[in-house]
């Protein structure tokens, strides 16, 4: 099975909770609740609907950005973007039992996150994607090869999860670059049958 993270968003057919539910039904074992621009109350409401579904499926439940909310709801962890709270500060707030991931686009980002104590790296974008604003430079396969090799040479063994416009047919080549998993959003939610598409991606 391919380690797949599902990053929530909404489209004209499905809301945040629907998307998470379908991803879990398709065998996904990691849900990141990302609701940029929403209020804490809106995120809290969605989290309270999604978290029990994750528990049922023994899936990891991570909240994007909102450290205090992750602590309050006893989520499994938090994912921090480049403009969010530093990982080292989040670790002080949350302690050692929470998973803390960080977003990277360059080797310098990876090195900084490693020093700060991140548990994994969400690295991208692989290609252009419409589900994220202010997109960093696109990496492509070559970019992942280069970054993973530099990490190995430096003894940085953090898991790298590729993200950004990834489709089913990209997965074999991406996994050969040395990344440990992929994160998907639009390719699943935009598919005619999101549950079947997730099942295909995780290789069930």
């Amino acid at each position: 099975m391919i380690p797949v993270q599902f990053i929530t968003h909404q489209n004209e057919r499905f809301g945040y909770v629907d998307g998470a539910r379908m991803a879990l039904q398709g065998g996904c074992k990691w849900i990141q609740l990302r609701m940029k621009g929403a209020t804490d109350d809106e995120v809290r409401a969605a989290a309270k609907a999604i978290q029990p579904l994750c528990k049922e499926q023994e899936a990891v439940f991570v909240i994007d950005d909102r450290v205090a909310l992750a602590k309050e709801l006893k989520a499994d962890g938090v994912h921090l973007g480049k403009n969010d709270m530093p990982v080292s500060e989040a670790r002080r707030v949350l302690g050692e039992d929470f998973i803390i991931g960080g977003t990277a686009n360059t080797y310098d980002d990876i090195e900084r996150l490693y020093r700060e104590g991140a548990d994994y790296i969400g690295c991208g974008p692989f290609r252009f994607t419409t589900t994220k604003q202010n997109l960093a430079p696109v990496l492509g396969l070559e970019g992942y090869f280069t970054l993973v090799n530099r990490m190995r040479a430096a003894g940085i063994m953090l898991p790298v999860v590729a993200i950004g416009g990834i489709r089913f047919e990209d997965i074999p080549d991406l996994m050969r670059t040395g990344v440990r998993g992929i994160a998907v959003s639009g390719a699943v939610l935009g598919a005619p049958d999101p549950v079947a598409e997730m099942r295909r991606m995780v290789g069930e």
Side-chain angles (χ1 to χ4, degrees):
M1 277 179 64
I2 303 289
V4 177
Q5 299 183 5
F6 178 72
I7 316 291
T8 64
H9 76 288
Q10 59 183 351
N11 61 17
E12 62 286 345
R13 290 195 299 163
F14 305 115
Y16 293 103
V17 178
D18 299 324
R21 183 184 292 112
M22 290 185 296
L24 290 164
Q25 285 170 350
C28 182
K29 293 296 182 187
W30 186 299
I31 303 292
Q32 183 196 131
L33 178 58
R34 182 167 77 189
M35 294 174 64
K36 294 293 185 193
T39 66
D40 274 0
D41 283 342
E42 287 167 335
V43 177
R44 188 180 285 107
K48 286 185 171 176
I50 294 167
Q51 196 169 8
L53 301 176
C54 288
K55 280 206 167 70
E56 272 172 36
Q57 300 297 325
E58 297 181 346
V60 174
F61 177 60
V62 168
I63 295 177
D64 179 65
D65 176 12
R66 300 168 202 246
V67 173
L69 205 53
K71 185 174 186 179
E72 173 199 320
L73 296 171
K74 297 184 173 65
D76 295 307
V78 70
H79 184 88
L80 299 168
K82 290 171 86 166
N83 300 316
D84 297 334
M85 182 187 289
V87 167
S88 49
E89 196 178 325
R91 182 67 72 198
R92 279 195 294 275
V93 173
L94 296 172
E96 292 301 318
D97 293 338
F98 280 73
I99 299 163
I100 302 180
T103 296
N105 175 248
T106 66
Y107 181 73
D108 286 347
D109 294 337
I110 291 168
E111 218 173 27
R112 172 178 51 77
L113 290 165
Y114 173 68
R115 282 197 310 271
E116 290 183 356
D119 294 305
Y120 73 92
I121 306 280
C123 191
F126 170 60
R127 68 158 60 85
F128 179 78
T129 171
T130 55
T131 58
K132 188 162 187 187
Q133 293 171 327
N134 306 318
L135 206 62
V138 168
L139 289 171
L141 291 172
E142 275 304 308
Y144 288 108
F145 266 118
T146 303
L147 289 172
V148 170
N149 285 333
R150 280 193 73 180
M151 287 173 70
R152 283 181 183 146
I156 297 174
M157 305 313 287
L158 285 180
V160 172
V161 177
I163 185 169
I166 295 168
R167 299 190 284 258
F168 171 73
E169 56 272 19
D170 301 319
I171 295 173
D173 285 341
L174 266 171
M175 294 308 291
R176 280 195 282 272
T177 67
V179 301
R180 293 273 285 279
I182 60 159
V184 293
S185 190
V188 171
L189 219 56
D193 182 342
V195 175
E197 187 62 11
M198 179 56 81
R199 201 166 279 138
R200 199 161 76 115
M201 284 189 164
V202 299
E204 281 205 333

